[in-house]
Amino acid sequence: MQEHAGAVRVDPLTGRATHSTAARAAFVSGLLLFVLPAATSPPESAAAKLAGELKSLYPRSVDPWERWRRRASVTMADGREVPRKDAWRDDPGFVAAAAHLLSTGAKDDARLGAWLLGTSAPERRQEAEAVLIEALSHTDEGAAFEAVAALAIVGGDDAGEALLRSARGAPTAEVRTASAWAAAKLAGSRDLEQTALAELAHPQDSVSPLTRSFRRGVSWWRSEGRDDDGRASFRRVASLGVTWVSIHTWDPLQRGFDEPVFATTSHRHGLPNLEGLVRNAHAAGLAVMVKPHLEMRGYRPTPEERLVLRGPDDEARRRLIVRMQEQSAAIIGGGHNRLLMRNDADWRRWFEEYEAYILPYARDAQASGADMFCVGRELDSTVLRRESDWRRVIGLIRSEFEGPLVYSANFDSWEKIGFWDALDFIGVSAYFPLSDGVDPSLEELEAGWARALEPLEAASKRWDRPVLLTEAGFPSIASAARAPWREEKTRAEVWLQARCYEATLRTLASRPWIEGSFFWLWERSSKPPFRDLSHTIVDKPAMFTMARWYSAR
């Protein structure tokens, strides 16, 4: 069987298979007949049984934070504790079980089967490749997409030819773009990646591509580059047409809505080697914006408050518990945008703390050679009440950092900000609600963007400043267009996320006063990615929606 699997040849002009291709097809057909129980077979074949075991490893309902579980493990029947990514991969029937999932007719099973084949052990990759090549023509766009992604990992020479055919003929733009990128990746040519994407990138309609100077950005989280200071990750995003990365921090230092003194914590996620990150980003052809994120901290009761919690005063204890719950919820709910100090002295102290927080980052950004700096993110409640203090902070940052400056205002309060003349861009975290509809169309989403951006265009003219979408993105869930800022535990909708990206990029291409976008977010996805609920686009269709537009010139 393996000599057939490795002998595919197709005429690139006619698309007709040679004898070896037919032999490979016979091999795959035989494999599928093996895994599908015949009328006289036992009720459940070995392949079907193992397929059930594999399905149980990956529940359909997952937590949005699943992507951060680095050491997910399972207990095997023999009592061994093994990493989930390795479970059953050494079983001789693994490929047959994944092929069984592909053949069941259920979309979710087919997608899982294709994705699992991409995790095959090295000694079974040739066998998996043959099944995946057939799956490129699967009637479900999701299964075809997962087959492309899997072939980018396990494919060989035959996969390259099949992927190029898919790049020319797949009915879905994301599958075509992913196929072109995967074929180039297997060929080991970054230039080919760029060329292949550029050939497909220009949409087949009247929409113009993004301007050459448009900042094609992603928001990049350093968990993607802990081992090599982002070197491999930066090369990957650059191969998708990205030209900028916004490297952000996560600093949970704000102790309360009205607390002027920042916390000290061992859990601050700063940028310990910014110089190395910037150097590797530049080597990949990427410019860098440094973007510190001051975040809310989970409520930590003082010694006095612990006494209240253990004391006899039920009403005092109830009030304290409510306060603790509200602040803990604010970590996810954007509490950093609801800060309100109690008096002028507290405001002055808060700005002293913020200066001590932000200025070292500005110095590090300058020393590392970063290309842009964000002076603050979604702290609009402080800007609205203390604009003069913010202007002073911006002046101090300018004395430390020589490049352009931006502030990232929240989508629902940016119009009230009055210091845009002190900055180089109007920056917006652009999580505008686009549609209340269920499964909104591309036209509905574009109309939502048109409504949201009309005031921004007027502001750009009034302040004589271009606009940057310092953040823009959508979780891969059904409410993505209704509440783009919110992740929740539900069912994944990765193709709706891709449609939202398509509408966003079409909109940006027709508005030259917007000079860049930084899509939220580039970090690891849950496994399998088509069940990931978060904003991240890694290994999802939206990644290639972005690549198709970002690669067009």
Side-chain angles (χ1 to χ4, degrees), residues 104-441:
T104 60
K107 289 183 177 181
D108 194 79
D109 284 358
R111 296 174 186 188
L112 180 61
W115 177 79
L116 284 167
L117 288 168
T119 70
S120 299
E123 62 271 19
R124 293 187 176 83
R125 288 187 170 183
Q126 193 174 24
E127 186 183 358
E129 178 188 27
V131 180
L132 287 166
I133 288 172
E134 295 298 318
L136 291 176
S137 59
H138 201 285
T139 55
D140 173 51
E141 62 184 0
F145 178 84
E146 295 303 326
V148 172
L151 281 171
I153 300 170
V154 305
D157 293 340
D158 298 336
E161 294 181 5
L163 286 165
L164 287 175
R165 293 197 303 276
S166 176
R168 299 185 187 105
T172 306
E174 285 74 20
V175 177
R176 292 195 301 272
T177 308
S179 297
W181 183 84
K185 179 177 181 292
L186 291 179
S189 169
R190 177 174 170 181
D191 290 338
L192 180 58
E193 286 171 351
Q194 292 289 329
T195 302
L197 286 177
E199 289 176 353
L200 297 169
H202 189 60
Q204 301 302 307
D205 53 33
S206 60
V207 179
S208 300
L210 299 164
T211 63
R212 180 175 295 275
S213 61
F214 187 88
R215 291 166 174 81
R216 296 160 164 81
V218 293
S219 296
W220 188 87
W221 177 234
R222 68 185 181 91
S223 63
E224 286 296 292
R226 290 184 186 278
D227 298 331
D228 64 351
D229 289 328
R231 186 177 292 106
S233 180
F234 292 143
R235 285 200 297 263
R236 188 183 188 196
V237 297
S239 76
L240 298 166
V242 174
T243 59
W244 278 76
V245 287
S246 168
I247 300 178
H248 66 276
T249 72
W250 185 77
D251 299 318
L253 304 178
Q254 185 68 45
R255 300 192 301 176
F257 298 118
D258 56 2
E259 174 57 61
V261 180
F262 289 2
T264 56
T265 175
S266 59
H267 298 292
R268 179 176 176 181
H269 297 281
L271 300 171
N273 187 17
L274 181 59
E275 183 179 358
L277 292 173
V278 173
R279 181 176 61 250
N280 289 333
H282 284 171
L286 303 170
V288 176
M289 174 168 71
V290 176
K291 186 160 166 276
H293 286 195
L294 175 67
E295 302 284 358
M296 295 294 292
R297 173 184 176 84
Y299 195 86
R300 310 290 175 86
T302 65
E304 294 77 12
E305 288 170 333
R306 293 192 184 97
L307 293 176
V308 172
L309 293 172
R310 294 193 294 264
D313 190 336
D314 290 341
E315 179 61 23
R317 182 166 59 252
R318 185 192 65 79
R319 289 196 302 270
L320 180 56
I321 289 173
V322 168
R323 177 181 171 87
M324 292 169 63
Q325 291 173 337
E326 287 177 346
Q327 184 163 324
S328 293
I331 296 175
I332 298 176
H336 52 274
N337 199 27
R338 303 202 300 270
L339 304 184
L340 183 62
M341 300 300 112
R342 289 164 290 191
N343 52 52
D344 187 67
D346 283 355
W347 275 117
R348 289 197 301 272
R349 182 62 188 274
W350 187 89
F351 275 96
E352 290 172 2
E353 296 280 305
Y354 191 76
E355 289 171 19
Y357 161 75
I358 199 71
L359 291 178
Y361 276 131
R363 295 185 194 107
D364 290 347
Q366 177 66 29
S368 68
D371 305 279
M372 188 185 303
F373 190 80
C374 184
V375 302
R377 178 225 186 204
E378 298 172 16
L379 299 170
D380 301 2
S381 62
T382 68
V383 179
L384 299 180
R385 289 167 176 81
R386 309 289 287 201
E387 182 181 317
S388 60
D389 287 314
W390 266 103
R391 287 181 177 273
R392 178 174 48 78
V393 171
I394 292 168
L396 292 172
I397 293 172
R398 282 218 185 268
S399 69
E400 302 287 354
F401 184 78
E402 297 176 0
L405 300 181
V406 66
Y407 171 80
S408 185
N410 209 42
F411 73 94
D412 58 358
S413 49
W414 71 266
E415 290 184 78
K416 302 174 185 176
I417 303 296
F419 60 16
W420 297 121
D421 59 307
L423 298 162
D424 299 286
F425 298 92
I426 297 174
V428 182
S429 293
Y431 299 105
F432 299 104
L434 301 182
S435 172
D436 288 330
V438 177
D439 196 28
S441 68

